[in-house]
Amino acid sequence: MAKASRIDPTTFDALPLDKGIAASRQRIEAMERLLERVVVLPGLNRPIGLDVMLGLVPIVGDIAAAALGSYIIWEARNLGLSKFQMARMMGNVGFDALLGFVPLIGDAADVLFRSNTRNLRIIRKHLDKHHPSSVVLEG
């Protein structure tokens, strides 16, 4: 029998509100975790997040998921990412939203195409290169 997973409430406690780079990184990582990896699907052993859950609601859910994904892009703009990087990130969110408008295929695509994780990877690469003091070692 599959073990039911629970949301760890300490994951999102006390996110910093200041304008520092490390604080922005923590907020972006928390938003990505919320949108892509909140719970694990029993049986498939695959993490899903709010993006997939909202995608089950036709049209409105996909628009809401795209709006939440746009928060990550807004934070990236504040971190000084290039226009090319911003365009890639907008393309990821836009492609995810367009896939979400297709019934059934969009729901499966939400599980497989993780636009927010891709965007987090772009931001981490930028921060590791330009702001190495904000690097967090994961264990």
Side-chain angles (χ1 to χ4, degrees), residues 9-45:
T10 61
T11 303
F12 304 104
D13 281 350
L15 286 174
L17 300 177
D18 60 341
K19 295 181 182 181
I21 292 176
S24 290
R25 184 181 187 125
Q26 286 180 337
R27 288 191 301 268
I28 292 167
E29 289 174 350
M31 180 61 83
E32 184 271 339
R33 202 173 314 115
L34 176 69
L35 291 173
E36 303 291 359
R37 301 180 281 128
V38 173
V39 295
V40 176
L41 278 177
L44 292 178
N45 210 21

Short mmCIF file of all heavy atoms in Angstrom, two decimals, residues 9-45:
data_model
loop_
_atom_site.label_atom_id
_atom_site.label_comp_id
_atom_site.label_asym_id
_atom_site.label_seq_id
_atom_site.Cartn_x
_atom_site.Cartn_y
_atom_site.Cartn_z
N PRO A 9 4.81 21.58 6.61
CA PRO A 9 4.50 22.99 6.83
C PRO A 9 5.72 23.87 7.08
O PRO A 9 5.68 25.07 6.89
CB PRO A 9 3.59 22.98 8.06
CG PRO A 9 3.87 21.68 8.73
CD PRO A 9 4.32 20.72 7.67
N THR A 10 6.84 23.26 7.47
CA THR A 10 8.03 24.08 7.73
C THR A 10 8.72 24.52 6.44
O THR A 10 9.60 25.36 6.46
CB THR A 10 9.04 23.30 8.59
OG1 THR A 10 9.44 22.12 7.89
CG2 THR A 10 8.44 22.94 9.93
N THR A 11 8.31 23.94 5.31
CA THR A 11 8.94 24.26 4.03
C THR A 11 8.76 25.72 3.67
O THR A 11 9.64 26.35 3.11
CB THR A 11 8.33 23.38 2.93
OG1 THR A 11 8.50 22.02 3.29
CG2 THR A 11 9.01 23.63 1.60
N PHE A 12 7.62 26.29 4.00
CA PHE A 12 7.30 27.64 3.57
C PHE A 12 7.25 28.64 4.73
O PHE A 12 6.78 29.75 4.56
CB PHE A 12 5.96 27.65 2.81
CG PHE A 12 5.97 26.71 1.64
CD1 PHE A 12 5.31 25.50 1.70
CD2 PHE A 12 6.65 27.04 0.49
CE1 PHE A 12 5.33 24.64 0.63
CE2 PHE A 12 6.67 26.18 -0.59
CZ PHE A 12 6.01 24.98 -0.52
N ASP A 13 7.74 28.23 5.89
CA ASP A 13 7.74 29.14 7.04
C ASP A 13 8.76 30.25 6.87
O ASP A 13 9.88 30.04 6.42
CB ASP A 13 8.06 28.38 8.33
CG ASP A 13 6.86 27.62 8.86
OD1 ASP A 13 5.76 27.85 8.34
OD2 ASP A 13 7.04 26.81 9.78
N ALA A 14 8.36 31.42 7.25
CA ALA A 14 9.26 32.57 7.39
C ALA A 14 10.14 32.83 6.18
O ALA A 14 11.35 32.84 6.28
CB ALA A 14 10.11 32.43 8.65
N LEU A 15 9.50 33.01 5.03
CA LEU A 15 10.28 33.41 3.86
C LEU A 15 10.72 34.86 4.04
O LEU A 15 9.94 35.70 4.47
CB LEU A 15 9.45 33.27 2.58
CG LEU A 15 9.22 31.85 2.11
CD1 LEU A 15 8.26 31.83 0.93
CD2 LEU A 15 10.52 31.19 1.74
N PRO A 16 11.95 35.16 3.70
CA PRO A 16 12.44 36.54 3.89
C PRO A 16 11.76 37.50 2.93
O PRO A 16 11.47 37.17 1.78
CB PRO A 16 13.94 36.42 3.57
CG PRO A 16 14.06 35.20 2.73
CD PRO A 16 12.95 34.29 3.15
N LEU A 17 11.50 38.71 3.41
CA LEU A 17 10.82 39.72 2.61
C LEU A 17 11.75 40.83 2.15
O LEU A 17 11.31 41.74 1.46
CB LEU A 17 9.66 40.32 3.41
CG LEU A 17 8.58 39.33 3.84
CD1 LEU A 17 7.53 40.03 4.70
CD2 LEU A 17 7.94 38.67 2.64
N ASP A 18 13.03 40.77 2.52
CA ASP A 18 13.93 41.84 2.11
C ASP A 18 14.30 41.72 0.63
O ASP A 18 13.91 40.78 -0.05
CB ASP A 18 15.19 41.87 2.99
CG ASP A 18 15.99 40.58 2.93
OD1 ASP A 18 15.43 39.56 2.53
OD2 ASP A 18 17.17 40.61 3.29
N LYS A 19 15.04 42.69 0.13
CA LYS A 19 15.34 42.77 -1.29
C LYS A 19 16.67 42.14 -1.66
O LYS A 19 17.12 42.28 -2.79
CB LYS A 19 15.32 44.22 -1.75
CG LYS A 19 13.96 44.85 -1.64
CD LYS A 19 13.96 46.28 -2.11
CE LYS A 19 12.59 46.89 -1.94
NZ LYS A 19 12.55 48.27 -2.42
N GLY A 20 17.29 41.45 -0.76
CA GLY A 20 18.59 40.84 -1.02
C GLY A 20 18.51 39.69 -2.02
O GLY A 20 17.46 39.10 -2.25
N ILE A 21 19.65 39.37 -2.58
CA ILE A 21 19.72 38.32 -3.58
C ILE A 21 19.43 36.96 -2.97
O ILE A 21 18.69 36.15 -3.53
CB ILE A 21 21.08 38.37 -4.29
CG1 ILE A 21 21.14 39.64 -5.11
CG2 ILE A 21 21.31 37.14 -5.15
CD1 ILE A 21 22.40 39.93 -5.81
N ALA A 22 19.98 36.69 -1.80
CA ALA A 22 19.73 35.41 -1.13
C ALA A 22 18.25 35.27 -0.77
O ALA A 22 17.68 34.17 -0.89
CB ALA A 22 20.60 35.29 0.11
N ALA A 23 17.62 36.36 -0.37
CA ALA A 23 16.20 36.33 -0.03
C ALA A 23 15.36 36.06 -1.28
O ALA A 23 14.40 35.26 -1.24
CB ALA A 23 15.78 37.64 0.61
N SER A 24 15.72 36.68 -2.39
CA SER A 24 15.00 36.44 -3.65
C SER A 24 15.14 34.98 -4.07
O SER A 24 14.19 34.36 -4.52
CB SER A 24 15.53 37.34 -4.76
OG SER A 24 15.17 38.67 -4.53
N ARG A 25 16.34 34.46 -3.91
CA ARG A 25 16.58 33.06 -4.27
C ARG A 25 15.70 32.14 -3.44
O ARG A 25 15.11 31.20 -3.97
CB ARG A 25 18.05 32.73 -4.07
CG ARG A 25 18.43 31.35 -4.51
CD ARG A 25 19.92 31.07 -4.27
NE ARG A 25 20.28 29.81 -4.84
CZ ARG A 25 21.26 29.64 -5.72
NH1 ARG A 25 21.98 30.66 -6.10
NH2 ARG A 25 21.52 28.46 -6.19
N GLN A 26 15.58 32.40 -2.15
CA GLN A 26 14.74 31.57 -1.29
C GLN A 26 13.28 31.65 -1.70
O GLN A 26 12.57 30.64 -1.72
CB GLN A 26 14.90 31.98 0.17
CG GLN A 26 16.20 31.55 0.79
CD GLN A 26 16.30 31.99 2.24
OE1 GLN A 26 15.65 32.93 2.67
NE2 GLN A 26 17.14 31.30 2.99
N ARG A 27 12.80 32.86 -2.04
CA ARG A 27 11.41 33.01 -2.46
C ARG A 27 11.15 32.28 -3.78
O ARG A 27 10.12 31.63 -3.94
CB ARG A 27 11.05 34.49 -2.59
CG ARG A 27 10.91 35.22 -1.27
CD ARG A 27 10.30 36.59 -1.43
NE ARG A 27 11.06 37.45 -2.32
CZ ARG A 27 12.02 38.30 -1.93
NH1 ARG A 27 12.33 38.38 -0.64
NH2 ARG A 27 12.65 39.06 -2.79
N ILE A 28 12.08 32.39 -4.71
CA ILE A 28 11.92 31.71 -6.00
C ILE A 28 11.91 30.21 -5.82
O ILE A 28 11.07 29.50 -6.39
CB ILE A 28 13.05 32.14 -6.97
CG1 ILE A 28 12.88 33.60 -7.35
CG2 ILE A 28 13.07 31.26 -8.21
CD1 ILE A 28 14.09 34.21 -8.04
N GLU A 29 12.82 29.69 -5.00
CA GLU A 29 12.87 28.25 -4.76
C GLU A 29 11.61 27.76 -4.06
O GLU A 29 11.11 26.67 -4.35
CB GLU A 29 14.13 27.89 -3.97
CG GLU A 29 15.39 28.03 -4.81
CD GLU A 29 16.67 27.82 -4.02
OE1 GLU A 29 16.62 27.75 -2.78
OE2 GLU A 29 17.73 27.74 -4.67
N ALA A 30 11.07 28.55 -3.14
CA ALA A 30 9.84 28.17 -2.45
C ALA A 30 8.66 28.16 -3.42
O ALA A 30 7.82 27.25 -3.36
CB ALA A 30 9.57 29.12 -1.29
N MET A 31 8.60 29.14 -4.32
CA MET A 31 7.51 29.19 -5.29
C MET A 31 7.61 28.01 -6.26
O MET A 31 6.60 27.38 -6.59
CB MET A 31 7.53 30.51 -6.06
CG MET A 31 6.43 30.61 -7.10
SD MET A 31 4.76 30.52 -6.44
CE MET A 31 4.53 32.19 -5.93
N GLU A 32 8.82 27.68 -6.69
CA GLU A 32 9.00 26.53 -7.58
C GLU A 32 8.57 25.25 -6.88
O GLU A 32 7.90 24.40 -7.46
CB GLU A 32 10.47 26.44 -8.03
CG GLU A 32 10.74 25.34 -9.04
CD GLU A 32 11.08 24.00 -8.44
OE1 GLU A 32 11.51 23.95 -7.26
OE2 GLU A 32 10.94 22.98 -9.14
N ARG A 33 8.95 25.10 -5.62
CA ARG A 33 8.57 23.92 -4.84
C ARG A 33 7.05 23.83 -4.72
O ARG A 33 6.47 22.75 -4.87
CB ARG A 33 9.21 23.99 -3.45
CG ARG A 33 9.35 22.69 -2.76
CD ARG A 33 10.16 22.79 -1.45
NE ARG A 33 11.38 23.56 -1.57
CZ ARG A 33 11.61 24.72 -0.94
NH1 ARG A 33 10.71 25.23 -0.14
NH2 ARG A 33 12.74 25.36 -1.09
N LEU A 34 6.39 24.96 -4.48
CA LEU A 34 4.93 24.99 -4.36
C LEU A 34 4.26 24.62 -5.69
O LEU A 34 3.30 23.86 -5.71
CB LEU A 34 4.47 26.39 -3.92
CG LEU A 34 2.97 26.62 -3.83
CD1 LEU A 34 2.39 25.80 -2.68
CD2 LEU A 34 2.68 28.10 -3.62
N LEU A 35 4.79 25.13 -6.78
CA LEU A 35 4.16 24.89 -8.08
C LEU A 35 4.49 23.52 -8.67
O LEU A 35 3.71 23.00 -9.47
CB LEU A 35 4.57 25.99 -9.07
CG LEU A 35 4.01 27.37 -8.78
CD1 LEU A 35 4.62 28.40 -9.72
CD2 LEU A 35 2.50 27.38 -8.91
N GLU A 36 5.62 22.94 -8.32
CA GLU A 36 6.05 21.71 -8.98
C GLU A 36 6.22 20.50 -8.09
O GLU A 36 6.16 19.38 -8.58
CB GLU A 36 7.38 21.96 -9.71
CG GLU A 36 7.36 23.08 -10.71
CD GLU A 36 6.52 22.81 -11.95
OE1 GLU A 36 5.94 21.72 -12.09
OE2 GLU A 36 6.44 23.72 -12.79
N ARG A 37 6.44 20.66 -6.77
CA ARG A 37 6.83 19.51 -5.95
C ARG A 37 6.21 19.53 -4.56
O ARG A 37 6.90 19.32 -3.58
CB ARG A 37 8.35 19.47 -5.80
CG ARG A 37 9.10 19.38 -7.10
CD ARG A 37 10.61 19.35 -6.90
NE ARG A 37 11.13 20.70 -6.67
CZ ARG A 37 11.89 21.05 -5.67
NH1 ARG A 37 12.25 20.17 -4.78
NH2 ARG A 37 12.32 22.28 -5.55
N VAL A 38 4.92 19.74 -4.45
CA VAL A 38 4.31 19.80 -3.12
C VAL A 38 4.04 18.41 -2.56
O VAL A 38 4.35 18.12 -1.42
CB VAL A 38 3.00 20.62 -3.15
CG1 VAL A 38 2.28 20.56 -1.82
CG2 VAL A 38 3.28 22.05 -3.50
N VAL A 39 3.45 17.54 -3.37
CA VAL A 39 3.12 16.18 -2.92
C VAL A 39 3.63 15.17 -3.95
O VAL A 39 3.86 15.51 -5.10
CB VAL A 39 1.60 16.00 -2.70
CG1 VAL A 39 1.09 16.86 -1.57
CG2 VAL A 39 0.83 16.26 -3.96
N VAL A 40 3.75 13.93 -3.52
CA VAL A 40 4.17 12.85 -4.41
C VAL A 40 2.94 12.02 -4.77
O VAL A 40 2.18 11.64 -3.89
CB VAL A 40 5.25 11.97 -3.73
CG1 VAL A 40 5.61 10.80 -4.60
CG2 VAL A 40 6.46 12.80 -3.39
N LEU A 41 2.77 11.76 -6.07
CA LEU A 41 1.65 10.93 -6.52
C LEU A 41 1.86 9.49 -6.06
O LEU A 41 2.88 8.88 -6.41
CB LEU A 41 1.54 10.94 -8.04
CG LEU A 41 0.85 12.11 -8.68
CD1 LEU A 41 0.92 11.99 -10.21
CD2 LEU A 41 -0.58 12.22 -8.25
N PRO A 42 0.94 8.94 -5.29
CA PRO A 42 1.09 7.55 -4.87
C PRO A 42 1.04 6.62 -6.09
O PRO A 42 0.29 6.85 -7.02
CB PRO A 42 -0.10 7.31 -3.95
CG PRO A 42 -0.64 8.66 -3.62
CD PRO A 42 -0.23 9.57 -4.72
N GLY A 43 1.84 5.61 -6.07
CA GLY A 43 1.86 4.67 -7.19
C GLY A 43 2.87 5.06 -8.26
O GLY A 43 3.68 4.26 -8.67
N LEU A 44 2.81 6.31 -8.72
CA LEU A 44 3.76 6.78 -9.73
C LEU A 44 5.06 7.26 -9.10
O LEU A 44 6.08 7.36 -9.77
CB LEU A 44 3.16 7.93 -10.55
CG LEU A 44 2.01 7.57 -11.47
CD1 LEU A 44 1.49 8.81 -12.17
CD2 LEU A 44 2.44 6.54 -12.48
N ASN A 45 4.98 7.61 -7.82
CA ASN A 45 6.14 8.11 -7.09
C ASN A 45 6.74 9.33 -7.79
O ASN A 45 7.95 9.46 -7.90
CB ASN A 45 7.18 7.00 -6.90
CG ASN A 45 7.97 7.20 -5.64
OD1 ASN A 45 7.52 7.90 -4.73
ND2 ASN A 45 9.13 6.60 -5.56
#
